Amino acid sequence: MTFPESFVWGASTAAHQIEGNNVNSDWWAREVDPASTLAEPSGDAADSYHRYAEDIRLLAESGLTSYRFSIEWARIEPSEGRFSGAELDHYRRMVDCCLEHGVTPLITLHHFTSPRWFAEDGGWTDPRSVERFARYVEHVLPLLDRASHVFTINEPNILAMMITAAKGAEQLQAGTMHAPDPVATEHLIAAHRRAVELVRTVGVPVGWPVAPQQFFADPGAEEVLREYAYPRETVFLEAAKGDDFIAVQAYTRTRITVDGPLPAPEDSEKTLTGWEYYPAAIAEAARLGYEITGLPVLVSENGIATADDARRIDYTRDALRALHAEMEAGLPLFGYLHWSLLDNYEWGSFAPTFGLVAWDPETFERTPKPSLGWLGGVARGTVSLDD
C-alpha cells in the first residue's frame, strides 16, 4: 500500500492552542472571564511561541516533511490598524526554521481566534469584518510566498457555529452544536473570497479547511440530513469552488434520524472528546469534498484524542487505509497532515490529548510518542500500512 512520491506528509498545529499567552485574543478574554464555564485557561500552553524550533526539529527528525501552523492575528494586529513588526518577524523566523530543517511550511491565516478588539466590535457578524480581515491578510502577504499552501480560515463551519454557542461551552462538533450564525456565514465566505484573491498575488495555492461531520441518515431521514447538513457544512464546501484545493478535517460521524442528530451510541468506543471512534470519517469527508468542489483534496487535520498511543496508531493506520482506497478509486488526494504535532489546548481543556508529542507542564520538556516515529516511518516508506 504505497502513496505517490509527491504526497504531502506532515502534522498540524494552531497558534492559540500551543503558543501560550495570547493575551490580546478573544479566546484569552473568554478563558479568564470570572464567569467562564471552561475547565481551564490556556496560560503558557506548550510554550511553542519560544520552543517552535525544537518542535519543528522533532517533526523533521521523524520523517515528516510538512508543518501546518497558524499565524496569530491577535499578535500581529493587537489593536485596530496597528501592526506589530516584531510579531511579523517572529512568524517569518518560523518559516525560516522550517526551511532550514527541510520542512515545507503550510500557513493558516485564521484558526478560530480573533483579536479582542475585533470580537468586541461585532466580530464576524459585523459587515466591516470582511475588509478588516482583508487588511490583515494584506499585511501578512510577505510571510506567505515561501509556503507551499495557504489556508484562509480554519473550519469556517465550526467557527460560525461557535458564534451561536453559549460562551463556547458546547463541544466543537457540528453534530451537537447550534446552527451557524447566518450573518457570520455570509461574512466568512466573503472574507475567504477576498483572501483568496490576495494570496494569489504571491503565487501560492490557497483554499480553506472545512470540517464535515460525516452525517449519515436512517432510512427515511435523507431529506432531514440534507437540510441539517446544508448550513453546517455544504454551503462552506460549495464556497470553495474555484479555489486551488479543498482541505478537509474529520474525526467522527453523526447519525441523523427523522428527529435530527443523535449523540455517539452508548455502546461505541469513544475518544477523550466523547466522539465515536470512527477512522473512516476522514476518507468519507475527502470524497464529499471532492464530489462537491471537484478540486484536489488535502487532509489538513485528522487524529484522535486518546491517552493510549497504540490506539492512536490504530486509528491513523485505518484512516490512511481508507484514504488509500479512495485514491485507488480516483480521489485526487495529495496529502495528509496529522492533528496534532503537540498535545495542546483543546478549547477549554488540556485533557483531550491529540498530540504526536507530549510535553511536561512544568518544564515544557518534549517527549515524542511512538506514533510520531510510526507516522514518520509511513512517510519514509519504512513502515507498511499492510501490517
Side-chain angles (χ1 to χ4, degrees):
M1 193 177 296
T2 59
F3 290 79
E5 254 186 61
S6 60
F7 198 77
V8 173
W9 291 102
S12 297
T13 59
H16 187 82
Q17 293 179 266
I18 62 168
E19 285 184 344
N21 299 303
N22 185 23
V23 298
N24 291 312
S25 83
D26 57 341
W27 262 89
W28 182 274
R30 178 182 298 178
E31 294 161 19
V32 301
D33 186 334
S36 175
T37 58
L38 301 174
E40 56 188 326
S42 56
D44 290 330
D47 192 32
S48 195
Y49 185 86
H50 299 104
R51 301 168 195 268
Y52 65 83
E54 180 180 5
D55 299 333
I56 292 167
R57 176 180 60 80
L58 289 172
L59 181 147
E61 289 176 351
S62 76
L64 300 177
T65 54
S66 293
Y67 182 38
R68 175 194 169 205
F69 61 91
S70 72
I71 58 177
E72 184 55 57
W73 185 6
R75 294 186 188 273
I76 292 169
E77 191 182 6
S79 60
E80 184 169 13
R82 299 183 68 87
F83 291 84
S84 170
E87 295 294 357
L88 290 167
D89 281 346
H90 168 80
Y91 291 112
R92 186 175 292 108
R93 287 192 294 271
M94 285 190 67
V95 173
D96 292 341
C97 185
C98 284
L99 298 176
E100 287 164 7
H101 284 86
V103 171
T104 301
L106 301 90
I107 297 176
T108 308
L109 303 179
H110 185 284
H111 197 121
F112 286 160
T113 50
S114 298
R116 187 183 298 195
W117 63 262
F118 175 84
E120 291 174 350
D121 198 24
W124 289 108
T125 62
D126 191 296
R128 294 170 295 176
S129 60
V130 177
E131 286 308 315
R132 285 169 163 173
F133 185 67
R135 181 182 59 199
Y136 155 67
V137 174
E138 287 174 342
H139 276 81
V140 302
L141 287 177
L143 299 176
L144 307 181
D145 60 350
R146 292 180 294 164
S148 66
H149 298 80
V150 170
F151 309 88
T152 59
I153 300 168
N154 181 74
E155 295 188 356
N157 55 324
I158 304 295
L159 179 57
M161 284 183 261
M162 289 165 61
I163 291 167
T164 60
K167 294 194 174 181
E170 293 186 274
Q171 282 277 6
L172 304 190
Q173 181 186 9
T176 61
M177 294 177 72
H178 291 303
D181 182 285
V183 174
T185 294
E186 178 185 339
H187 294 158
L188 286 164
I189 290 171
H192 166 68
R193 288 177 172 153
R194 286 280 287 115
V196 166
E197 293 173 0
L198 290 165
V199 174
R200 281 180 170 162
T201 66
V202 297
V204 179
V206 58
W208 68 355
V210 179
Q213 297 299 301
Q214 294 325 105
F215 299 121
F216 65 101
D218 281 357
E222 292 81 6
E223 186 58 32
V224 176
L225 185 155
R226 280 189 289 272
E227 291 180 3
Y228 190 82
Y230 189 82
R232 288 170 170 80
E233 60 187 36
T234 312
V235 67
F236 295 94
L237 290 167
E238 290 177 346
K241 292 177 181 178
D243 293 351
D244 298 313
F245 62 91
I246 180 64
V248 293
Q249 309 183 167
Y251 299 85
T252 189
R253 63 179 177 177
T254 301
R255 177 183 170 191
I256 304 295
T257 72
V258 292
D259 298 316
L262 291 182
E266 287 296 325
D267 59 352
S268 66
E269 179 180 351
K270 297 181 185 65
T271 70
L272 290 177
T273 48
W275 303 344
E276 180 184 0
Y277 180 98
Y278 187 65
I282 190 60
E284 295 172 6
R287 174 59 65 179
L288 177 69
Y290 175 62
E291 287 177 348
I292 291 177
T293 67
L295 296 170
V297 182
L298 172 64
V299 170
S300 44
E301 286 185 22
N302 174 246
I304 177 175
T306 180
D308 181 352
D309 197 56
R311 203 63 178 136
R312 176 172 291 104
I313 292 173
D314 292 340
Y315 181 96
T316 309
R317 179 190 295 113
D318 287 346
L320 289 170
R321 285 173 173 169
L323 286 165
H324 189 273
E326 288 291 350
M327 292 173 71
E328 289 192 319
L331 179 73
L333 180 75
F334 66 90
Y336 176 88
L337 306 176
H338 191 86
W339 183 267
S340 171
L341 177 61
L342 299 168
D343 288 338
N344 56 36
Y345 183 69
E346 280 297 321
W347 309 110
S349 173
F350 288 101
T353 45
F354 279 92
L356 299 169
V357 177
W359 47 274
D360 186 287
E362 300 292 331
T363 66
F364 302 106
E365 180 182 359
R366 271 50 174 160
T367 303
K369 301 176 187 179
S371 55
L372 177 64
W374 177 86
L375 186 59
V378 173
R380 284 176 165 150
T382 59
V383 172
S384 173
L385 296 176
D386 297 315
D387 299 337

